[in-house]
Amino acid sequence: MTREERVEKMAATLLEAEKRGTEIDKLVDQYPELDADLAYQVQDRLIEMKCHAENARIVGFKLGLTSVAKQKMMGVHEPTYGILLDSMQWPEEQPLPLTSLIHPKVEPEIAFVFKHEVRGPGISVPDILEATEYVMPALEIIDSRYRNFSFTLADVIADNSSSARFILGGAFFRPEQLDLRLMGMVFRKNGRIMATSTGAAVMGHPARAIAWLANKLGEAGKSIRAGEIVLSGALCAAAAIEEKDVFSVSFDGLGSLTAVFAHP
Ligand code: OOG
Ligand code: MG
């Protein structure tokens, strides 16, 4: 098989798993040559296929594994990114059905929306803050296509960093109105506190994760474009979701956001 044929096969396997809602074995078991670079090619092809299948368009990016809490939880110690499509966005008010998902989890994040393009290399925290139109609370619903939510770095990259859905909050703030580093966060499941954290849990400053993305994209001649959304990565461990659960995140100065999951 040529490299292109393998990329095609891996992307099709992941898309099929998502469509059917069934777990698959890690791709590295069958393709030991899968490394991070090849995995980003698989991710790109998977996104092309999804855009075509769902008549969807790209609206931004998500960071993965940008906090120590998440890296420990998943046993992967480097950040990754994935691509967000409009078909993944869910409105806050509407109960989200779990029926098409495999083993979904939810995690609190900070969303950045860009007023102008950011292109690496050499991007740092002040560049990100200057280019950001506003920040808002976000909840990401992740759903690894791999058995038992277990994967290597390359596997999770190929799987678009486990992305499934995302919900954005109604409060918009300019980044200079907040101290994103010291901004406290409370994450609740059915009213009970699951975790507390601060912005600094994400690489010391959430904008540092976004700068990492801009620099990583820059290596491939890509950029974050005006109007795009970028999710920072979770500030704490993800929580498994069951039907009828209600999760919320509150940020100091940035308001809160609730995710309601549908009845069976
Ligand atoms: C990988 C995606 C991680 C985050 O916010 O850290 C992620 C996973 O844990 O399945 O989205
Ligand atoms: Mg996430």
Side-chain angles (χ1 to χ4, degrees):
M1 254 197 280
T2 65
R3 196 173 162 96
E4 280 74 46
E5 284 166 348
R6 278 174 296 163
V7 166
E8 192 69 18
K9 202 107 204 289
M10 287 189 264
T13 303
L14 285 163
L15 185 64
E16 185 67 14
E18 181 175 349
K19 221 169 62 191
R20 290 178 187 232
T22 51
E23 305 174 309
I24 55 167
D25 291 328
K26 290 199 286 286
L27 291 174
V28 289
D29 296 347
Q30 205 186 332
Y31 304 89
E33 72 278 22
L34 186 68
D35 60 8
D37 285 344
L38 186 59
Y40 278 114
Q41 287 180 30
V42 175
Q43 184 190 110
D44 280 343
R45 184 65 191 117
L46 171 65
I47 292 300
E48 269 176 24
M49 290 175 173
K50 272 177 74 77
C51 284
H52 184 76
E54 297 166 13
N55 194 21
R57 65 182 186 89
I58 295 173
V59 294
F61 299 91
K62 58 156 286 179
L63 276 303
L65 308 166
T66 51
S67 61
V68 173
K70 280 289 310 191
Q71 292 186 354
K72 278 200 179 141
M73 181 179 189
M74 308 318 295
V76 174
H77 301 281
E78 277 176 64
T80 66
Y81 72 83
I83 293 169
L84 298 178
L85 301 180
D86 58 353
S87 54
M88 298 173 183
Q89 191 167 358
W90 191 263
E92 181 181 10
E93 311 75 39
Q94 208 171 304
L96 196 161
L98 298 174
T99 39
S100 61
L101 302 175
I102 305 168
H103 38 206
K105 294 181 187 177
V106 57
E107 43 191 31
E109 311 209 5
I110 301 163
F112 289 66
V113 178
F114 281 82
K115 62 177 176 227
H116 65 72
E117 188 186 40
V118 194
R119 187 180 280 274
I123 298 299
S124 60
V125 170
D127 302 317
I128 296 299
L129 296 177
E130 185 276 319
T132 299
E133 179 85 64
Y134 50 83
V135 291
M136 54 184 156
L139 286 164
E140 188 188 20
I141 291 85
I142 51 170
D143 192 29
S144 175
R145 267 53 68 173
Y146 300 114
R147 202 171 307 291
N148 302 325
F149 232 108
S150 152
F151 44 69
T152 66
L153 174 71
D155 283 304
V156 69
I157 291 168
D159 189 26
N160 199 31
S161 294
S162 307
S163 70
R165 306 277 184 275
F166 65 97
I167 303 173
L168 300 179
F172 312 89
F173 282 87
R174 302 195 63 82
E176 60 269 21
Q177 292 176 278
L178 303 157
D179 182 347
L180 290 174
R181 194 172 64 92
L182 293 182
M183 185 173 72
M185 178 221 82
V186 181
F187 180 44
R188 286 190 179 84
K189 173 186 178 178
N190 303 326
R192 203 165 64 87
I193 294 177
M194 295 295 284
T196 58
S197 188
T198 62
V202 171
M203 293 173 78
H205 191 304
R208 190 162 294 124
I210 321 292
W212 175 87
L213 171 70
N215 292 323
K216 180 84 187 157
L217 290 171
E219 290 171 15
K222 298 177 184 171
S223 63
I224 303 170
R225 283 163 294 199
E228 284 188 329
I229 304 158
V230 183
L231 302 183
S232 64
L235 280 71
C236 62
I241 310 167
E242 280 165 58
E243 264 120 6
K244 297 194 279 187
D245 278 343
V246 178
F247 284 88
S248 71
V249 60
S250 310
F251 287 103
D252 187 19
L254 187 58
S256 27
L257 174 64
T258 302
V260 179
F261 295 94
H263 290 231

PDB file of all heavy atoms in Angstrom, residues 62-63 107 109 140 142 233-234, ligand 2:
ATOM      1  N   LYS A  62      -9.529  22.804  17.940  1.00  0.00           N
ATOM      2  CA  LYS A  62      -9.541  22.475  19.372  1.00  0.00           C
ATOM      3  C   LYS A  62      -8.152  22.001  19.752  1.00  0.00           C
ATOM      4  O   LYS A  62      -7.493  21.301  18.970  1.00  0.00           O
ATOM      5  CB  LYS A  62     -10.550  21.371  19.660  1.00  0.00           C
ATOM      6  CG  LYS A  62     -10.285  20.098  18.891  1.00  0.00           C
ATOM      7  CD  LYS A  62     -10.855  18.882  19.558  1.00  0.00           C
ATOM      8  CE  LYS A  62     -10.076  18.449  20.787  1.00  0.00           C
ATOM      9  NZ  LYS A  62     -10.640  17.279  21.443  1.00  0.00           N
ATOM     10  N   LEU A  63      -7.742  22.374  20.947  1.00  0.00           N
ATOM     11  CA  LEU A  63      -6.502  21.832  21.488  1.00  0.00           C
ATOM     12  C   LEU A  63      -6.847  20.622  22.329  1.00  0.00           C
ATOM     13  O   LEU A  63      -7.937  20.564  22.931  1.00  0.00           O
ATOM     14  CB  LEU A  63      -5.822  22.863  22.374  1.00  0.00           C
ATOM     15  CG  LEU A  63      -4.911  23.938  21.743  1.00  0.00           C
ATOM     16  CD1 LEU A  63      -3.803  23.298  20.940  1.00  0.00           C
ATOM     17  CD2 LEU A  63      -5.680  24.892  20.891  1.00  0.00           C
ATOM     18  N   GLU A 107     -15.857  18.132  29.095  1.00  0.00           N
ATOM     19  CA  GLU A 107     -14.764  18.848  29.767  1.00  0.00           C
ATOM     20  C   GLU A 107     -14.904  20.350  29.567  1.00  0.00           C
ATOM     21  O   GLU A 107     -15.326  20.802  28.509  1.00  0.00           O
ATOM     22  CB  GLU A 107     -13.401  18.334  29.275  1.00  0.00           C
ATOM     23  CG  GLU A 107     -13.313  18.115  27.794  1.00  0.00           C
ATOM     24  CD  GLU A 107     -12.056  17.365  27.365  1.00  0.00           C
ATOM     25  OE1 GLU A 107     -11.535  16.522  28.107  1.00  0.00           O
ATOM     26  OE2 GLU A 107     -11.586  17.645  26.253  1.00  0.00           O
ATOM     27  N   GLU A 109     -13.696  24.181  29.016  1.00  0.00           N
ATOM     28  CA  GLU A 109     -12.618  24.817  28.254  1.00  0.00           C
ATOM     29  C   GLU A 109     -12.900  26.310  28.089  1.00  0.00           C
ATOM     30  O   GLU A 109     -13.988  26.785  28.411  1.00  0.00           O
ATOM     31  CB  GLU A 109     -12.506  24.157  26.867  1.00  0.00           C
ATOM     32  CG  GLU A 109     -12.457  22.632  26.961  1.00  0.00           C
ATOM     33  CD  GLU A 109     -11.706  21.941  25.853  1.00  0.00           C
ATOM     34  OE1 GLU A 109     -11.113  22.629  25.005  1.00  0.00           O
ATOM     35  OE2 GLU A 109     -11.724  20.692  25.852  1.00  0.00           O
ATOM     36  N   GLU A 140     -16.652  20.975  25.963  1.00  0.00           N
ATOM     37  CA  GLU A 140     -16.400  20.087  24.837  1.00  0.00           C
ATOM     38  C   GLU A 140     -16.870  18.684  25.180  1.00  0.00           C
ATOM     39  O   GLU A 140     -16.601  18.188  26.280  1.00  0.00           O
ATOM     40  CB  GLU A 140     -14.915  20.039  24.448  1.00  0.00           C
ATOM     41  CG  GLU A 140     -14.811  19.247  23.154  1.00  0.00           C
ATOM     42  CD  GLU A 140     -13.447  18.877  22.639  1.00  0.00           C
ATOM     43  OE1 GLU A 140     -12.478  18.887  23.420  1.00  0.00           O
ATOM     44  OE2 GLU A 140     -13.355  18.527  21.463  1.00  0.00           O
ATOM     45  N   ILE A 142     -16.131  15.046  24.161  1.00  0.00           N
ATOM     46  CA  ILE A 142     -15.182  14.225  23.407  1.00  0.00           C
ATOM     47  C   ILE A 142     -15.704  12.797  23.365  1.00  0.00           C
ATOM     48  O   ILE A 142     -16.476  12.372  24.230  1.00  0.00           O
ATOM     49  CB  ILE A 142     -13.753  14.273  24.011  1.00  0.00           C
ATOM     50  CG1 ILE A 142     -13.765  13.967  25.520  1.00  0.00           C
ATOM     51  CG2 ILE A 142     -13.105  15.614  23.744  1.00  0.00           C
ATOM     52  CD1 ILE A 142     -12.371  13.765  26.108  1.00  0.00           C
ATOM     53  N   GLY A 233      -8.455  23.495  25.239  1.00  0.00           N
ATOM     54  CA  GLY A 233      -8.149  22.223  25.901  1.00  0.00           C
ATOM     55  C   GLY A 233      -8.690  22.299  27.318  1.00  0.00           C
ATOM     56  O   GLY A 233      -8.799  23.389  27.900  1.00  0.00           O
ATOM     57  N   ALA A 234      -9.014  21.135  27.884  1.00  0.00           N
ATOM     58  CA  ALA A 234      -9.696  21.085  29.180  1.00  0.00           C
ATOM     59  C   ALA A 234      -8.800  21.565  30.316  1.00  0.00           C
ATOM     60  O   ALA A 234      -7.599  21.318  30.315  1.00  0.00           O
ATOM     61  CB  ALA A 234     -10.161  19.665  29.446  1.00  0.00           C
TER      62      ALA A 234
HETATM   63 MG    MG B   2     -11.093  19.050  24.921  1.00  0.00          MG
END
